[in-house]
Amino acid sequence: MAVAHGSRDPRSAATVHALLDVVRAMRPDLDVRVAFLDLSAPRLGDVLSAVHGDGHSDAVVVPLLLGRAFHARVDVPAAVADAQLRYPRFQVHISDVLGPDPRLDAAAWRRLAEAGAPADDPELGVILAGAGSSHAPANRLVSAVAARWQAKTSWAGTSEAFAAAADPDVPAAIEALRARGARRFAVGSWFLAPGLLPDRISALAREHAPQPLIAAPMADDAGVADLVLQRYAETLAATTSALQLSAAL
């Protein structure tokens, strides 16, 4: 069961469904379902009830979140705890979030390359833009990816930027890259799906830089789908090992 944040923008839910279609194609033997925490349907609690009602005794929830910010640390566990109070015999296991992982770096890199950003342009400044969080480690993940991109290119510079809750914002990142010699600009996407915050990033980039290259969200990239399946497999293996240990004791 893959759970995304949710958005009022219908493109977001459509993109999440497309990603899970790729997951299903990779593993047609699995019962793969989509849920959302807010703003989109179906909600996680409703999907957990449906899975229980269909006769499943256990489930694995994979948060489609790029870092361990508030939604991963609070919202997902709360929804799962509520379901387990309602269905005491229903075992629900929560996987780790998607990030950090090299497959996310690679997916965002591929989207940037598809937007036309060459790795050997010494006058190109590249911003890797994410949502932003009050949880500093989640922001540092984005900064680390931007630094790794800088290390393997000839770009004038790279910078993280955030749509909300953290600095720098896009205008500040563009000015910092200009000071390092950037004359052209590209924006990489640390987002899984389109929506309000990616649109805000794109609008600010176009307002403060001439014709910037704008990468699409990671969306239904095959590497992201493979990562979803790995998080599921890791959680299933850990659960099986714990049950075996318990039986042995």
Side-chain angles (χ1 to χ4, degrees):
M1 188 182 312
V3 56
H5 177 269
S7 170
R8 292 186 179 89
D9 188 327
R11 295 174 301 164
S12 179
T15 300
V16 172
H17 282 285
L19 170 61
L20 272 296
D21 283 343
V22 178
V23 171
R24 291 185 187 97
M26 290 179 169
R27 285 290 306 273
D29 56 308
L30 293 181
D31 182 352
V32 178
R33 307 201 190 190
V34 181
F36 299 92
L37 291 172
D38 196 11
L39 302 175
S40 301
R43 299 291 179 87
L44 177 55
D46 295 333
V47 177
L48 287 167
S49 293
V51 169
H52 177 265
D54 288 344
H56 292 283
S57 59
D58 61 293
V60 174
V61 172
V62 180
L64 300 181
L65 303 170
L66 302 181
R68 294 194 59 80
F70 184 84
H71 300 301
R73 293 180 289 113
V74 177
D75 289 342
V76 174
V80 168
D82 179 68
Q84 297 208 273
L85 282 174
R86 286 182 281 125
Y87 313 115
R89 292 181 173 273
F90 184 38
Q91 297 298 308
V92 183
H93 314 283
I94 305 173
S95 85
D96 200 357
V97 296
L98 299 184
D101 190 275
R103 279 162 291 196
L104 294 179
D105 300 30
W109 176 269
R110 281 190 288 271
R111 296 301 189 215
L112 186 64
E114 289 167 2
D120 59 351
D121 183 349
E123 294 190 339
L124 185 66
V126 174
I127 295 164
L128 182 59
S133 172
S134 57
H135 186 58
N139 301 325
R140 286 199 291 269
L141 290 180
V142 183
S143 304
V145 175
R148 287 194 290 272
W149 285 6
Q150 176 69 81
K152 66 178 185 178
T153 65
S154 303
W155 294 334
T158 63
S159 175
E160 70 279 16
F162 302 101
D167 293 322
D169 61 9
V170 169
I174 288 173
E175 287 311 304
L177 291 171
R178 277 202 178 99
R180 295 170 63 179
R183 297 296 176 264
R184 291 175 290 279
F185 297 90
V187 181
S189 179
W190 200 246
F191 292 95
L192 281 182
L196 174 65
L197 295 183
D199 285 353
R200 181 184 301 170
I201 292 286
S202 298
L204 285 169
R206 292 185 176 108
E207 182 180 343
H208 291 271
Q211 299 181 315
L213 302 171
I214 307 289
M218 288 179 263
D220 55 350
D221 184 272
V224 178
D226 183 65
L227 178 55
V228 171
L229 285 170
Q230 180 174 324
R231 292 291 185 257
Y232 162 79
E234 290 168 346
T235 305
L236 195 63
T239 300
T240 301
S241 296
L243 289 174
Q244 291 172 341
L245 178 60
S246 177
L249 295 175

